[in-house]
Amino acid sequence: MTDLVPDRWLTVDGLANARDVGGLPLDGGGRVRTGVLLRTESLEGLGPAAVAYLTDELGVAQVLDLRTDHERTTYGLGALAAAGVPVHRLSFIPETGIALPEVDLGDSHPMLGHYLAYLEGRGECVVDGVRRIATLDSGTTVVHCAAGKDRTGVLVALVCAAVGVPREEITADYALSATRIDALFRKWTTASGEPMPGVDELDRHRPRAEVMAEFLRLLDERHGGPVGWLRENGLTDDELARLRTRLRDGSA
């Protein structure tokens, strides 16, 4: 399972929740190709050595920034942008605030409504993110939001589903960020001078596998799956084929 593959984590000074999507298994054999898609939190804490590592050694060629313009104005685009790496601004949340879907989700986790709202309110940005991963001819894509767990988790889940990662591996990868919540808050509170949150508050921010599992189930029910949703919202068969070519290793 995903949580037994520790070498997918990236050790980068200034990042606490960075890992390669590569290494995840594929239905039918093979794995997601490494060095194509990285997922992280926001990038403002990177120093020169970290930038050099990401660009020169890992080959980062583009950044997909899923944050709002307000977040970018407040915290900046990060050092990769300053180093000349193209940054594509693909906010998953409208500037006026997220509009939760008018659907009865029962006793589901509150974040499930937010995830559905990303698709309903910012579907064009979601599809554009997948498209940009698919159509980058060479080099590595970094996708990030603020913490690298919710908005980033949704985009990565859609990509993984589209290329054939089993559901249990998608949900396990999503939940891996739960192990980095303490480190993220230590980084943020050290920078701001604010106190570290208590245990209950930290736990509130931890992603849970069952939330992603339910999100994917709802896509199955309403759209015939993640690929169905992507196609309904403009991803072409050619782009889907290119995504699979880019991310599947040769044995899949």
Side-chain angles (χ1 to χ4, degrees):
M1 291 292 292
T2 296
D3 58 355
L4 300 180
V5 190
D7 58 347
R8 292 181 53 238
W9 288 106
L10 301 175
T11 302
V12 182
D13 189 30
L15 294 177
N17 187 26
R19 60 189 183 274
D20 196 328
V21 177
L24 289 172
L26 296 166
D27 286 319
R31 292 186 178 271
V32 175
R33 183 176 287 114
T34 60
V36 176
L37 180 60
L38 311 180
R39 54 178 299 168
T40 78
E41 77 266 35
S42 58
L43 306 172
E44 67 268 13
L46 298 178
V51 170
Y53 172 67
L54 289 167
T55 56
D56 298 342
E57 294 192 39
L58 299 187
V60 172
Q62 69 174 355
V63 173
L64 307 183
D65 184 344
L66 311 185
R67 299 173 301 164
T68 64
D69 284 342
H70 175 73
E71 288 173 295
R72 297 183 191 107
T73 300
T74 302
Y75 301 107
L77 289 177
L80 285 177
V85 177
V87 176
H88 304 289
R89 306 179 185 193
L90 304 172
S91 174
F92 277 23
I93 301 174
E95 295 302 318
T96 54
I98 196 162
L100 296 178
E102 295 182 5
V103 176
D104 182 8
L105 298 175
D107 296 327
S108 299
H109 190 281
M111 288 310 300
L112 179 60
H114 287 258
Y115 295 173
L116 295 172
Y118 301 159
L119 304 191
E120 293 185 15
R122 279 289 188 263
E124 71 283 0
C125 290
V126 176
V127 173
D128 196 22
V130 176
R131 179 178 291 121
R132 289 183 182 279
I133 296 166
T135 57
L136 185 69
D137 290 330
S138 62
T140 303
T141 298
V142 170
V143 56
H144 78 88
C145 50
K149 63 185 183 72
D150 294 310
R151 289 167 283 187
T152 298
V154 166
L155 183 62
V156 170
L158 292 173
V159 169
C160 286
V163 303
V165 176
R167 288 291 173 88
E168 65 271 18
E169 295 291 343
I170 296 173
T171 58
D173 176 65
Y174 161 81
L176 269 182
S177 291
T179 66
R180 298 301 172 105
I181 295 300
D182 299 72
L184 282 166
F185 273 93
R186 278 195 296 271
K187 182 180 79 167
W188 294 332
T189 55
T190 297
S192 67
E194 297 177 359
M196 187 76 172
V199 173
D200 289 345
E201 179 65 12
L202 290 172
D203 285 346
R204 188 176 69 82
H205 289 276
R206 299 188 199 279
R208 292 164 171 78
E210 60 268 22
V211 178
M212 180 53 65
E214 180 64 7
F215 171 71
L216 295 172
R217 189 195 69 77
L218 287 172
L219 291 185
D220 291 340
E221 181 181 282
R222 300 172 184 178
H223 304 280
V227 171
W229 184 88
L230 289 167
R231 282 179 166 140
E232 287 174 15
N233 286 273
L235 195 73
T236 67
D237 288 343
D238 180 65
E239 290 165 340
L240 180 60
R242 291 186 67 175
L243 182 73
R244 290 169 173 167
T245 298
R246 285 281 288 148
L247 282 168
R248 288 174 170 171
D249 69 18
S251 61

